[in-house]
Structure formats: C-alpha cells, structure tokens
Amino acid sequence: MNEQKSEKVHHVFQSIYKKYDFMNSLISFNQHKVWRKKAMRAMAIAPGKKALDVCCGTGDWTISLAQAVGPKGHVEGLDFSENMLSVARHKIEEQQLSNVTLTHGDAMRLPYADNTFDYVSIGFGLRNVPDYLTVLKEIFRVLKPGGTLTCLETSHPKIPVYTQLYFLYFRYVMPALGKIFNGSYDEYVWLHESTRNFPDKKALTELFSQAGFSPIHVISLTGGVAAIHHATKPPLLK
C-alpha cells in the first residue's frame, strides 16, 4: 500500500509541475502565501543557521528560508519529484542564491546525519507521504536538540455548513479547475483524497508527540481549512 501511494504521488507531481504554482494560488485564493508568511513568523529564523525544507516542491518556502538564514546560513531543499525540483532550481538561479542545495530524495529516508538542522519546514507535503509518523520521526532525527519543525498543511474545519462547503469545493470544484487550467482532472481528484484522509489538527498533534516533539503549538488558519504545527525537539538535559 505504501509503495502504491508513493508511485501515485510521484506520478501526480511529475504531471502537474508546470502549472503547480498557478494552481496553488487559484485553488487557495492566494491564501497559501499568507499562510506561509505566518509559518515563517512562527519559525523566527536566526541568520547563519541551517534549515531543511522537506517536500520542497517548486521551492517557494526554500527560497524564503534561504533569504532568512542569509549568506552565512545554508538551506537544503528535498523533494522526490525531479520535475518539481527543476522548477525550484530555475527560481533559485533567478534569485542568484548560493546558500541552497536541492536534493532529489525520499522524505521517508532523509539523506542527512542526525542532529544536522536548526529548522525544518514541510509545506503541503506531509499528507502525500506513505507514512506520516515515519517522516516525522525522520525529521526529529535530523533536527538538532532544541531545533524546530514547522508543518503547514490542509486541515478539517469544524464550523457547520462551512465544513460541508469546504469538502464540496475540494471534491468537485478543485478537480474541475485542474482539468480546465492544467488538463489534470485525475491528479486533482487525488489531491482531494489526500486532503480528506489527512489527520485533523488534534490527531496530527498526537503524531507529532509520538515522534518525540514537545512542546507542540497549533495555529488554525482561515476557519480551520489549514493549520500550522510548530514543534520543538527537546533540548538535551544538562
């Protein structure tokens, strides 16, 4: 089952990469940019540090991290879609950023040593991995003690009527927009399914806890359609 999901997700993102950014802005009403800015504020990044952007996709969050850590810091961006990385690489070259390394790799098996990074981000990527807890444990492993993980993801609103409208939008409208603007109906049906099946804020917080993170802070966004989970790898006891 995990292998089937991995192959499916790889196919989806290899297919939709050309208009991924445009579609993100369209289907989120440009809110994903606002949400990412809030996530960056939660991270409170210090210059000169090391950061990892897991499931970096087309690189927007990677670039924000690189600008925040500055020329004395370094950012790694990792994704398993070569086509998404090609878009990210083009953006980074345009920005003339020399403090970023992009890696084609698997979030389930991060190719980094233990205790490497001060910050890790993952934006709209956790719902697409075969096993959420495995990825969270891998991120925990590569974070330095006292380092933080910031996860921006879709969630499950709890407001009556609004909730029903939200899922109707994801089930019917989003795939239709995908077909009209990107010729990708089935791929956007998959994105609806991955959102529907993803844990809500409470269940995801529990997974963070199982992975070892503490404390874990949750910021609900736009009536609960998305959420930021900001979590710390406990520092070593002196």
Side-chain angles (χ1 to χ4, degrees), residues 59-70:
D60 285 346
W61 203 345
T62 313
I63 290 169
S64 294
L65 293 171
Q67 292 167 340
V69 300

Side-chain angles (χ1 to χ4, degrees), residues 5 8 127-128 132 156 167 170-171 174-175 186-198:
K5 182 174 181 180
K8 175 67 175 178
R127 72 179 187 271
N128 292 314
Y132 312 131
H156 298 246
F167 282 109
F170 264 79
R171 183 175 182 181
M174 189 175 71
D186 291 341
E187 287 79 3
Y188 282 89
V189 168
W190 161 256
L191 293 180
H192 154 67
E193 292 172 356
S194 67
T195 299
R196 182 189 63 198
N197 296 327
F198 193 65

Side-chain angles (χ1 to χ4, degrees), residues 115 140 144-147 212 214-215 232-238:
N115 308 319
F140 186 90
K144 296 176 182 178
S214 180
T232 302
K233 178 175 180 175
L236 295 174
L237 296 175
K238 294 182 179 179

Side-chain angles (χ1 to χ4, degrees), residues 107-136:
M108 299 274 285
R109 294 180 294 274
L110 294 174
Y112 309 107
D114 297 359
N115 308 319
T116 297
F117 298 99
D118 301 287
Y119 311 98
V120 176
S121 64
I122 181 167
F124 305 111
L126 189 60
R127 72 179 187 271
N128 292 314
V129 302
D131 187 277
Y132 312 131
L133 184 57
T134 296
V135 171
L136 291 174

